[in-house]
Amino acid sequence: MASNEALLPVTSRQDPLSESRSDQIPETRRRRPIKVHLAIYSGLLLIALYVALIVTHDGSTAQHGAKDETSTESRARLAGVSEKSNDRVSKLSDDRKVEAFAWNNTMLSWQRTAFHFQPEKNWMNDPNGPLFYKGWYHFFYQYNPNAAVWGDIVWGHAVSKDLIHWLYLPIAMVPDQWYDANGVWTGSATFLDDGSIVMLYTGSTDKFVQVQNLAYPEDPSDPLLLKWAKFSGNPVLVPPPGIGAKDFRDPTTAWKTSSGKWRITIGSKINRTGISLIYDTTDFKTYEKHDTLLHQVPNTGMWECVDFYPVSKTQVNGLDTSVNGPDIKHVIKASMDDTRIDHYAIGTYYDSNGTWVPDNPSIDVGISTALRYDYGKFYASKTFYDQNKGRRILWGWIGESDSEAADVQKGWSSVQGIPRTVVLDTRTRKNLVQWPVEEIKSLRLSSNKFDMTIGPGTVVPVDVGSATQLDIEAEFEIKTEDLKLFFDDDSVEADKKFSCETSGGSTARGALGPFGFSVLADESLSEQTPVYFYVTKGKHSKLKTVFCTDTSRSTMANDVVKPIYGSFVPVLKGEKLTMRILVDHSIVEGFAQGGRTCITSRVYPTKAIYGATKLFLFNNAIDATVTASFKVWQMNSAFIHPYSPDDLSVPSRT
Amino acid sequence: MVKMMMMAMMVGVAMGNIVDKTCKQTPDYTLCLSLLRSDPRSSSADTVGLALILVDKIKALGAETLGQINEAYKTKPMLKKPLDECSLRYKTIVDVDVHTAIIAVKGNPKFAEGAVVDAGVEASICDGGFTKGQSPLTSLTQRMEKICDVTRAIIRMLL
């Protein structure tokens, strides 16, 4: 070791103590005294540490065998955290039956969605500052104008009359100041009492420090809000003492406190504890930081894109962010940097001291079992209050699950989910319910209605013509005799830890499931994406229902991540099993029980594309016959295009 | 003078500890140590610096592999199709993944993690394009996968 040798020349010559010892030190131990000298000078700890490290290094060399064995395990763990996994890919490439695969432009160009928001090209990530103003819904987004991968981030901008038909506008904000030179990052809009808009956003400074900046429309009389001005006194907030320079981002929409001040929260972390900082302000230029936090949860890591908003316990309309009262609960949501999962929790907000307490601490924000907006690919989500129609609307960033090589080849990456309304589930009161905005129905073209009864182990083609752009609403019933059989059959053990991921996907057959639809399938079902229910016997003999999307056989391509997504969905007494599926080329969004459990997936078929795409209904249960009553609509394109003056004169498409 | 030398040595010892500590938290301790110690910058680097050193290694290995691919076109022309795919994949590693990793490591590390994971995937896909036993690139692609695994682990320490 180089450092060891460096120690040698500085020997007992200088150290009076060592001189007295040197007589007593035997020849073989001459090298050791150097370390002893340093220990005397510098502090025993440092050297003891160094010595300890040498010892453990020797020990760990011996343990390398063990390390190699555990490395597969750690990779598998990592795979659970982030989808792209070397482990998974190498397994597939071992299969000699898999032909060498290459993407061609026909396959890639099919992947672009028809009615989901995505820029004309290049990379997009987080939704930013959504708002409704002077007749237009505004949507901003993290955008790279130069490549189909993250970088050079600016605020892209688009407007729509109905949250569906979007018009591209020029870029709203670019990194032209020292305080956002390395990125104009995520932020949120607040409406002041006089109806004017302020935007708070995170800038990554020229030194990569995360700061909060204030911006506002240059011309409030412009309904398109084309130009934005940055406050000359930016940044308005810098990382406070004790908070890391890179752990301070994504300010929320502000809400009014009972004392008349505005209040915002910003996610961060202290060691591995995820936290949400709280600031009060009257002018959005100077702030008072609370000594306490809005909330914190240990072992959850950095909280990105924190969102905080009220929901009504009794009514199904949305609420302005400042609303508070006895019939109100508050939601905290955070995006977990460690796992790329969005979690939320419902709780009680205490305005007097700016704190929040979860209703159920065992599923607190960020805990792995905490509730999610979506059990598939869905991150950096953000809500806004739509004062136009009295709704709270949720946007979510849907990234790609394919390789960068494919993204660069096709020239784009990422889409946004269809905006969803969010309300508290007034029946369970323990979870939120999301549903695609009503305006999406304007895209429905022709429809077909079906009533089918399918026995165990059946797959039935559903003839709807083109099957790449669909809206499916379905109701399922399990034949009662079977259910009785199931309950009476004592030899049937309750499925203890059943989950979509561990259950073997849609091909694993149980007594009462899986059953549902196979979308984006080809005629021979060599490629298919099943979206389904699986009913099992849970605790206390109650039927437990999980809702899943299985992308494991969605494509022959081997450079794509193909998870099985899903979760438990509450089904209350008297309810039928219902699901809605939106299919739009490479994105599938599933909603169970009116949006109690939602799953978004990205799929990249190579054969089930264009005219070859088919829809199937299936019942893989062993014992149960299932009745499916459903309607399938062909969906029109939203024809998202750059704004032109003609768009003003054309009446909004409804 | 002696005290300054002592302090310098203490600092050297301390920094050496950071490399050691960091590598212990990766899936391949020996590989991590050898990669980092081969670069003199590692003795005074923080975690971001160590990650950048490894991204440099990915870039260098990627460039080396592209050289091998070009050679293979001449010596094994019947493998043109999988070599074409490898060329595409490795250009993605060197031109796209490395660039994204470098800018993201300093600002928003999760995007660097994604880029490095993708680099490993691109390498796997390249090698998987050959029928078993035919690939002239297997040891290079396997090395790339291992380096990406280690780099990813270090980047995750920044999250």
Side-chain angles (χ1 to χ4, degrees), chain A residues 83-196:
Chain A
E83 296 174 329
K84 291 177 187 173
S85 158
N86 294 357
D87 207 40
R88 256 186 219 158
V89 168
S90 56
K91 273 193 193 134
L92 283 165
S93 55
D94 279 345
D95 183 355
R96 277 165 247 208
K97 291 183 199 158
V98 176
E99 280 267 308
F101 175 78
W103 289 104
N104 63 41
N105 286 333
T106 306
M107 296 168 183
L108 290 176
S109 53
W110 175 89
Q111 292 173 9
R112 254 193 101 81
T113 66
F115 54 88
H116 284 73
F117 181 80
Q118 55 180 121
E120 290 174 286
K121 58 177 184 171
N122 291 340
W123 165 279
M124 166 175 66
N125 52 294
D126 305 5
N128 297 152
L131 58 94
F132 179 84
Y133 183 73
K134 289 196 189 304
W136 292 97
Y137 287 98
H138 287 259
F139 179 67
F140 303 89
Y141 52 98
Q142 297 283 278
Y143 178 60
N144 184 345
N146 303 319
V149 293
W150 184 86
D152 298 343
I153 294 295
V154 305
W155 271 38
H157 188 189
V159 288
S160 169
K161 288 284 189 185
D162 64 358
L163 292 168
I164 297 294
H165 295 90
W166 292 95
L167 304 166
Y168 302 119
L169 289 179
I171 290 170
M173 289 199 284
V174 297
D176 56 4
Q177 302 297 321
W178 68 267
Y179 50 76
D180 58 19
N182 280 305
V184 185
W185 288 355
T186 294
S188 311
T190 304
F191 280 96
L192 302 184
D193 297 330
D194 63 0
S196 61

Side-chain angles (χ1 to χ4, degrees), chain A residues 514-530:
Chain A
F515 55 88
F517 292 95
S518 233
V519 303
L520 297 174
D522 67 330
E523 188 126 28
S524 64
L525 291 167
S526 66
E527 291 182 335
Q528 54 171 308
T529 302

Side-chain angles (χ1 to χ4, degrees), chain B residues 142-159:
Chain B
Q142 283 180 349
R143 185 167 170 80
M144 179 63 85
E145 288 168 45
K146 288 189 178 144
I147 297 180
C148 290
D149 271 354
V150 168
T151 312
R152 180 194 191 176
I154 293 183
I155 291 174
R156 280 197 64 79
M157 296 174 201
L158 299 168
L159 291 178

Side-chain angles (χ1 to χ4, degrees), chain A residues 181-218:
Chain A
N182 280 305
V184 185
W185 288 355
T186 294
S188 311
T190 304
F191 280 96
L192 302 184
D193 297 330
D194 63 0
S196 61
I197 297 166
V198 291
M199 196 74 85
L200 283 174
Y201 72 94
T202 298
S204 182
T205 70
D206 53 357
K207 304 273 190 288
F208 299 98
V209 177
Q210 291 166 13
V211 298
Q212 315 313 323
N213 301 308
L214 171 64
Y216 43 87
E218 218 173 79

Side-chain angles (χ1 to χ4, degrees), chain A residues 64 75 246 269 340 559, chain B residues 30 89 106 113 149 159:
Chain A
H64 261 303
R75 255 188 277 146
K246 301 181 189 188
K269 64 168 174 163
R340 312 303 135 67
D559 62 343
Chain B
T30 329
R89 299 292 178 169
K106 297 178 203 158
E113 182 188 4
D149 271 354
L159 291 178

